[in-house]
Amino acid sequence: RISLVADRSGNSASNVLYLNGTSGNTASTPRLNAYTTDDIDVRCWASKSSWFTDDQDFGGTRPAGTGGWTFGITGSGVQGRWYFLFYQATVAKQATVDAGSVPAFANFTGYWARVTRNSVTGDVMFYYSTEGATSNPTSWTLIQTKAQSTGAMDASAATNLGIGTRQDLGNGFFSGNIGRFQIRNNILDDGTGIVFDAKFYAPSKLSSSFVESSSNAATVTVNTSGDL
């Protein structure tokens, strides 16, 4: 649910999507497959009690084994590695940051995590920024560039966007706070191409849904079960 940063009593001015890493505690919105299949820029402002973690997704549109994409944190032998997975003709393609390349982020501190994919060159680039959730960062630090296949992504089977997990809500549940989740359909970083912009700091505390800020005006639903 939408909760207050570090203080759910009402004394904090900053709201977030508060996730405890368990099934049912996510946010979602429909029809993100229609927004982009070529170049993509995904950005998520988040904070965690520990960034040295395994198999937790910032978000994605990927149903298991069919299409779409996912941006998250994977173990793959070493915890805390960021990855971007997408499909082409139902074949999975994944770019994963090398072990030791992601900085040792301070726990309980918020950062922007960002991934871009260039459909012409195939380059998948991972960045971070220390700027706040309410800004569109002007300064990014490149973590790593990974080569992958060129051409459009297959999003034919992707129907929803999951935030704090991938679309099928089957695993990869995020534990921590998400203040903002943004998708762009280009990699220009000039303020254009914003097709989804969920500002979780903007709705009132305990909101169950709100309209994101892009021109698509998609409804974001906060899904909860259990005690958050």
Side-chain angles (χ1 to χ4, degrees):
R1 67 184 62 178
I2 305 294
S3 296
L4 296 164
V5 174
D7 177 10
R8 284 171 279 167
S9 67
N11 296 322
S12 170
S14 299
N15 290 340
V16 292
L17 176 66
Y18 176 82
L19 302 173
N20 62 5
T22 60
S23 177
N25 295 299
T26 63
S28 61
T29 194
R31 298 192 60 77
L32 261 293
N33 58 311
Y35 292 170
T36 181
T37 57
D38 295 314
D39 292 354
I40 191 170
D41 183 337
V42 184
R43 307 171 178 208
C44 179
W45 186 96
S47 63
K48 294 178 62 60
S49 60
S50 175
W51 285 92
F52 186 75
T53 190
D54 187 7
D55 295 331
Q56 294 189 18
D57 294 332
F58 299 117
T61 66
R62 177 173 72 94
T66 51
W69 54 266
T70 303
F71 177 33
I73 307 171
T74 186
S76 298
V78 180
Q79 290 183 318
R81 299 169 65 189
W82 294 1
Y83 79 103
F84 183 71
L85 184 148
F86 62 98
Y87 278 80
Q88 291 180 315
T90 72
V91 177
K93 308 295 180 74
Q94 181 167 322
T96 304
V97 172
D98 292 341
S101 295
V102 175
F105 294 130
N107 296 333
F108 302 102
T109 300
Y111 299 90
W112 279 97
R114 178 188 178 198
V115 65
T116 65
R117 176 181 179 265
N118 186 321
S119 61
V120 176
T121 66
D123 286 344
V124 177
M125 304 178 73
F126 297 87
Y127 304 83
Y128 76 94
S129 175
T130 59
E131 296 181 39
T134 60
S135 68
N136 285 313
T138 58
S139 177
W140 293 97
T141 299
L142 177 65
I143 297 173
Q144 198 166 46
T145 300
K146 304 293 287 188
Q148 250 302 339
S149 60
T150 61
M153 297 184 292
D154 177 10
S156 59
T159 55
N160 299 319
L161 168 72
I163 301 170
T165 184
R166 66 174 188 246
Q167 181 272 336
D168 63 9
L169 308 180
N171 56 21
F173 301 110
F174 191 83
S175 178
N177 299 327
I178 293 178
R180 192 171 178 184
F181 195 95
Q182 185 183 95
I183 302 171
R184 303 185 182 200
N185 63 8
N186 64 43
I187 55 176
L188 301 176
D189 199 24
D190 62 356
T192 66
I194 299 174
V195 292
F196 182 79
D197 194 1
K199 301 175 180 178
F200 291 99
Y201 57 81
S204 60
K205 179 184 177 183
L206 306 184
S207 296
S208 60
S209 67
F210 64 97
V211 176
E212 55 88 15
S213 299
S214 81
S215 60
N216 288 302
T219 297
V220 180
T221 300
V222 179
N223 311 295
T224 62
S225 64
D227 182 11
L228 293 186

